[in-house]
Amino acid sequence: MNPTDTEDQIRVIDTGAPPERYARGWHCLGLVRDFADGKPHQVNAFGTALVVFAGEDGKLNVLDAYCRHMGGNLAQGTVKGNAIACPFHDWRWRGDGKCAEIPYARRVPPLARTRTWPVAEVSGQLFVWHDPRGGKPPVELAIPEVPTYGDSGWTDWVWNSIEVTGSHCREIVDNIVDMAHFFYVHYGMPTFFRNVFEGHTATQVMRSRPRADAVGVSQSTNYSVESQSDATYYGPSYMIDKLWSGGRDPESAPNIYLINCHYPITPTSFRLQYGVIVEKPVGVPDDQADQIAQAVAQGVAIGFEQDVHIWKNKSRIDNPLLCEEDGPVYQLRRWYEQFYVDVDDIRPEMVGRFEYEIDTERALTSWQAEVDENLAAGRSAFAPNLARTRDAVTADTDS
């Protein structure tokens, strides 16, 4: 066969292999309020187990979960003062990793230290810093505050969590450039879609309309009105998405903040978390505003549940076959690679500014025809697997 004749050539998927190391950067473990109860909490992350606890001083600490004495699980222990006591022999470990006391011993061995993880509390969320080389978190990589968190005019977080098995967390990061999946999975019709990568941030700016054949996802029933999303990853695993609901002036401040974050459990599993806070409409009682936030979160959950179903059943693919409207997948993965190499090995092309805008005109024409056909036939756009997926994740989803 002529090597230049592509008519009979078949594209072969390169599945590659997930990296054995875990991404360098800040990772959100969840909400501060869920850890600050004076009890130890186990978090399985980065191929190991961690224990999160707040001492009497209220400070949250994260240590390796397994006691350096005889391997007891500190997450099964008890908080005593500002230390976590092992259930096996009552060795007591402080938040700085030092053993503070062994009640039955005259002295504490000078080498009695365990690994402590750098932590940060930002916007009511707890973060740990992970670096396989043990580097400290640079100031310039700090997670930014959500400016309206804690404001009396805004709700508190509505937070959800799902464990995803059989998948590497690169799958969710790929979504930031994937314009088309917002129609098929998240039930929106993007009218504008642009990406910007620079330094440790990756941004997606999107305007979209709700699908009229997917009632219940969007809070708006005006299907000609656009909403706007300005979403940025800060590092490998934490996204802040500023949202302007349909009809809201995009020149004003956003009225919804969506957090989309995750942390790896193993090379082929991760915990996806997402939460929303919503500006309280003027004159609306707090309980009704909370219901609005719950409804927004449920709309987000519909799309994420379908994402999870797809990730669990798709192939890993290192050489995706792309068309012009698929967006800069390879450039995004080049940006993402910076978190999986040593700091000294970060190349300029991983962190240099890159911009890309997709022409949505053809897609919108095709999608509108599909929506019109569904409406005429009385069909819903909801994927048939959605109900099964929702049932499957309900037991693993925390509101």
Side-chain angles (χ1 to χ4, degrees), residues 126-346:
L126 177 66
F127 294 80
V128 294
W129 172 263
H130 175 264
D131 185 340
R133 294 290 181 259
K136 301 301 182 183
V139 174
E140 63 270 20
L141 300 187
I143 298 294
E145 296 273 357
V146 175
T148 62
Y149 172 72
D151 190 305
S152 61
W154 285 67
T155 67
D156 201 353
W157 292 112
V158 176
W159 200 261
N160 293 281
S161 172
I162 304 173
E163 182 174 329
V164 181
T165 57
S167 228
H168 186 267
C169 39
R170 185 182 71 179
E171 300 290 351
I172 188 170
V173 177
D174 275 350
N175 280 1
I176 199 171
V177 298
D178 190 348
M179 183 270 292
H181 99 289
F182 281 95
F183 177 80
Y184 300 103
V185 177
H186 298 284
Y187 303 107
M189 297 178 65
T191 59
F192 177 85
F193 198 93
R194 182 170 180 262
N195 289 115
V196 179
F197 314 142
E198 187 170 22
H200 75 295
T201 64
T203 296
Q204 170 206 93
V205 179
M206 177 174 64
R207 295 193 298 271
S208 65
R209 303 193 305 264
R211 288 182 60 167
D213 58 349
V215 177
V217 178
S218 171
Q219 296 304 296
S220 174
T221 56
N222 187 340
Y223 300 108
S224 63
V225 174
E226 291 183 338
S227 59
Q228 181 167 315
S229 164
D230 188 340
T232 298
Y233 268 104
Y234 295 92
S237 67
Y238 183 79
M239 173 196 283
I240 299 176
D241 190 357
K242 297 181 288 188
L243 295 167
W244 290 257
S245 59
R248 187 174 177 91
D249 182 1
E251 298 300 321
S252 65
N255 61 332
I256 301 170
Y257 278 92
L258 165 66
I259 301 300
N260 165 18
C261 60
H262 63 271
Y263 58 82
I265 300 172
T266 70
T268 56
S269 63
F270 61 94
R271 180 160 291 277
L272 168 66
Q273 302 182 90
Y274 53 98
V276 298
I277 57 173
V278 175
E279 185 180 32
K280 299 175 183 177
V282 176
V284 171
D286 286 354
D287 59 339
Q288 291 185 24
D290 291 339
Q291 291 174 14
I292 294 172
Q294 291 281 354
V296 172
Q298 181 57 43
V300 173
I302 289 173
F304 274 134
E305 288 166 11
Q306 291 215 115
D307 274 328
V308 171
H309 184 83
I310 290 169
W311 297 332
K312 287 184 174 181
N313 291 279
K314 71 181 290 296
S315 170
R316 177 183 171 87
I317 182 166
D318 279 0
N319 62 335
L321 179 62
L322 305 177
C323 64
E324 186 176 341
E325 287 76 16
D326 279 324
V329 175
Y330 286 102
Q331 291 86 347
L332 173 69
R333 291 183 176 182
R334 183 178 62 198
W335 168 86
Y336 188 54
E337 186 183 357
Q338 68 176 288
F339 306 111
Y340 288 87
V341 299
D342 293 344
V343 172
D344 292 341
D345 294 329
I346 296 176

